[in-house]
Amino acid sequence: MTSSTLLPKILLAVLKGQPKALQDSHYPVWHLAPATGLLNDPNGFIHFQGRFHLFYQWNPLGCQHNHKCWGHWSSADLLHWQHEPIALMPEEEYDRSGCYSGSAVDNQGELTLCYTGNVKFAEGGRTAWQCLAVQNAEGGFDKSGPVIALPEGYTGHVRDPKVWRHENQWYMVLGAQDLALRGKVLLLRSDDLHHWQLLGEIAGSGLGGLGESGYMWECPDLFTLGAETFLICCPQGVAREARRFLNTHPSAYLSGTFSPEQATFEHGALHELDAGFEFYAPQTTLSSDGRRLLVGWMGVPDGEEMRQPTIAQGWIHQMTCVRELSSRDGKLYQQPVRELQALREDEHRFAGRGDDAPVIDARSLELWVESEGELTLNFGNTLILHWHKNQLRLDRRSLENGEWLSRYWEGEARVLQILCDSSSVEIFINEGAGVMSSRYFPSHPAQITVSGSGELRAQYWSLRPCMVE
């Protein structure tokens, strides 16, 4: 499909779909969500010439995973976002099955996108091209075409380039699947973004002390915080454990020591990045003041997503809040970006037994809770957090069969920072040592009720709306 036929369809879909989405009681008050249709992976997250840019996988024509374009928002402050021209559409032979995920770089003052052109064949096979596009004077992007073909020794599942600059050279990590159907992360190097050398595999199933660890590693992102280098990834096919990796596809990280010269990454065990029901495909960038920021897709592929009630209103999925990353003893910490504090409205406090706590409006809320006793927090009779001495358990009914499902965070939780929106809850544990991100679909007005004999101290604010312009 060419832009001359696809663009009018997108425009009509947005004109018809956005009013319906905005009237949905589950549409977020302050999180980023699609104007209509399906949103998934964040792409091209970058601070460029005074503004943050966040691109995203977008099917404006429906709530299914096809027709993948790159939508585009920008912001000066991570609070007030505006729509930008559609960045990429699947209109060339090399990306005709979708403009899949990737990243953005500042190439000598030119905002340049690095993305995967996905091609599926009628007989069932597929291939992938790693492609470039450069921003033009009108704010759109001109495609430069493929710069990396499918590397030898890998299936057609090679995608999601994350590119960065180091000592006058470009580096790329790339998700891949080898011919033995094992997930890998590839490292590549270039002088000019157009000619790339494959340096080898730096992580994946069967590498670096890991056993069998999945059949495809998506969305890799390699960065350094302090003395540690972290590799974020989405290892599809990791075996479920009793209390970890319970989502259909998890998001995880490795920490260790990276040598770009030797093309090696020595790392430890695989850690779950978010223990909630919905979190996937995170991507990071650096702010102008040197903070490492992350945003993720609050969804999971191949789970119960197509049962979500917002589909009836023509839209599905949202982003997480933007998060600041830090490291302590080789562990990755996540906290809501400090700019979000500007959304706070009236402050309230409570101290006492859980059973005596006030009922709190959950529609758009930031809540801090400290406790050493056992408590239960009930979010709209739809999502329930059980706060035990050495464990958090988050319960939610299956959208498919109504059975209760659980997610876990193991350890002693001392303080929780909870961010609520119309259909999402993000629980930050012990100042970012753990996170549980989940969608939920309560009847509004939804409320949080607290129960239990434990003593608690709470501080909370309603959050003002912050819509995209």
Side-chain angles (χ1 to χ4, degrees):
M1 191 179 296
T2 65
S3 58
S4 62
T5 57
L6 183 57
L7 196 55
K9 294 178 184 292
I10 292 175
L11 179 59
L12 183 61
V14 171
L15 288 172
K16 288 185 173 182
Q18 185 167 36
K20 191 175 181 181
L22 291 176
Q23 291 170 6
D24 187 357
S25 66
H26 291 135
Y27 197 82
V29 173
W30 59 273
H31 282 83
L32 290 167
T36 190
L38 177 142
L39 167 151
N40 58 300
D41 303 8
N43 297 154
F45 191 26
I46 189 173
H47 188 265
F48 175 78
Q49 295 184 353
R51 294 187 69 81
F52 289 95
H53 294 262
L54 179 59
F55 303 81
Y56 56 97
Q57 292 282 282
W58 183 35
N59 174 14
L61 303 182
C63 292
Q64 298 73 40
H65 284 280
N66 50 30
H67 307 298
K68 290 295 179 68
C69 304
W70 275 35
H72 181 192
W73 298 302
S74 75
S75 172
D77 59 5
L78 296 172
L79 293 176
H80 304 90
W81 295 85
Q82 68 183 38
H83 291 291
E84 300 289 351
I86 297 174
L88 300 172
M89 292 185 289
E91 54 193 348
E92 309 295 341
E93 185 60 28
Y94 53 80
D95 60 15
R96 58 184 170 85
S97 301
C99 298
Y100 277 24
S101 292
S103 53
V105 296
D106 179 348
N107 184 22
Q108 298 180 342
E110 291 185 326
L111 183 55
T112 302
L113 307 183
C114 313
Y115 73 100
T116 298
N118 189 47
V119 178
K120 296 180 180 179
F121 302 116
E123 64 272 17
R126 65 193 295 163
T127 192
W129 303 90
Q130 310 314 317
C131 308
L132 299 180
V134 180
Q135 191 172 40
N136 56 40
E138 289 73 41
F141 285 81
D142 299 322
K143 294 178 181 177
S144 304
V147 295
I148 303 174
L150 192 67
E152 185 177 351
Y154 298 91
T155 73
H157 291 281
V158 176
R159 54 181 172 265
D160 310 335
K162 180 64 191 291
V163 180
W164 72 98
R165 187 84 168 163
H166 175 71
E167 293 184 354
N168 299 319
Q169 288 189 305
W170 296 103
Y171 287 86
M172 174 193 294
V173 282
L174 192 59
Q177 180 186 70
D178 68 17
L179 297 180
L181 306 186
R182 297 172 300 186
K184 306 290 184 180
V185 174
L186 310 181
L187 179 69
L188 300 91
R189 184 170 57 209
S190 172
D191 294 325
D192 59 4
L193 291 179
H194 290 267
H195 303 89
W196 290 89
Q197 176 190 5
L198 176 59
L199 301 179
E201 300 172 352
I202 61 166
S205 184
L207 296 176
L210 299 181
E212 292 299 318
S213 303
Y215 57 80
M216 174 64 193
W217 281 32
E218 291 193 315
C219 306
D221 190 343
L222 188 76
F223 55 89
T224 297
L225 278 175
E228 295 282 337
T229 295
F230 293 88
L231 175 67
I232 288 177
C233 56
C234 294
Q236 297 185 326
V238 170
R240 293 190 177 194
E241 300 177 8
R243 298 289 185 267
R244 291 199 314 162
F245 303 130
L246 294 176
N247 289 340
T248 309
H249 301 302
S251 184
Y253 73 88
L254 300 164
S255 65
T257 303
F258 172 63
S259 170
E261 295 79 16
Q262 302 298 320
T264 58
F265 179 47
E266 298 179 2
H267 58 77
L270 199 62
H271 299 278
E272 194 166 35
L273 188 57
D274 190 296
F277 283 96
E278 276 90 19
F279 183 86
Y280 199 75
Q283 189 168 106
T284 75
T285 193
L286 279 175
S287 65
S288 59
D289 59 4
R291 289 176 292 161
R292 177 63 60 172
L293 306 182
L294 174 148
V295 64
W297 168 37
M298 208 180 296
V300 175
D302 304 326
E304 295 187 345
E305 58 177 329
M306 292 305 157
R307 303 271 184 179
Q308 293 186 11
T310 67
I311 291 176
Q313 306 303 315
W315 71 281
I316 183 172
H317 297 313
Q318 66 174 57
M319 294 299 179
T320 68
C321 72
V322 179
R323 303 171 180 181
E324 297 183 24
L325 301 183
S326 59
S327 67
R328 303 176 203 171
D329 302 321
K331 299 289 180 65
L332 200 57
Y333 280 64
Q334 306 173 64
Q335 293 179 281
V337 71
R338 64 193 68 169
E339 283 85 347
L340 288 176
Q341 295 176 17
L343 297 182
R344 292 173 177 172
E345 295 184 314
D346 294 338
E347 178 184 342
H348 303 272
R349 294 175 182 265
F350 170 80
R353 295 171 67 251
D355 287 332
D356 299 326
V359 174
I360 304 172
D361 184 352
R363 180 66 182 270
S364 182
L365 175 75
E366 179 183 353
L367 167 66
W368 284 78
V369 184
E370 295 180 72
S371 178
E372 296 177 357
E374 305 230 335
L375 297 172
T376 297
L377 281 70
N378 185 321
F379 299 82
N381 294 315
T382 306
L383 187 75
I384 302 174
L385 178 66
H386 302 276
W387 190 344
H388 300 300
K389 181 174 178 58
N390 294 308
Q391 181 192 83
L392 296 176
R393 190 183 85 228
L394 193 62
D395 292 344
R396 187 181 72 184
R397 287 192 184 274
S398 166
L399 294 174
E400 194 166 292
N401 56 31
E403 296 180 0
W404 283 101
L405 304 174
S406 299
R407 297 294 182 266
Y408 304 87
W409 185 83
E410 300 291 336
E412 181 183 0
R414 301 178 304 278
V415 58
L416 305 181
Q417 181 183 7
I418 302 173
L419 298 180
C420 298
D421 207 331
S422 303
S423 56
S424 66
V425 175
E426 295 168 88
I427 303 167
F428 295 84
I429 307 156
N430 295 347
E431 298 180 300
V435 193
M436 304 179 85
S437 302
S438 299
R439 299 295 304 283
Y440 80 131
F441 303 98
S443 298
H444 282 293
Q447 297 176 318
I448 299 175
T449 56
V450 182
S451 60
S453 59
E455 295 286 326
L456 66 90
R457 294 171 297 281
Q459 184 179 13
Y460 55 98
W461 306 261
S462 61
L463 301 179
R464 63 177 175 81
C466 196
M467 305 303 290
V468 180
E469 297 177 352

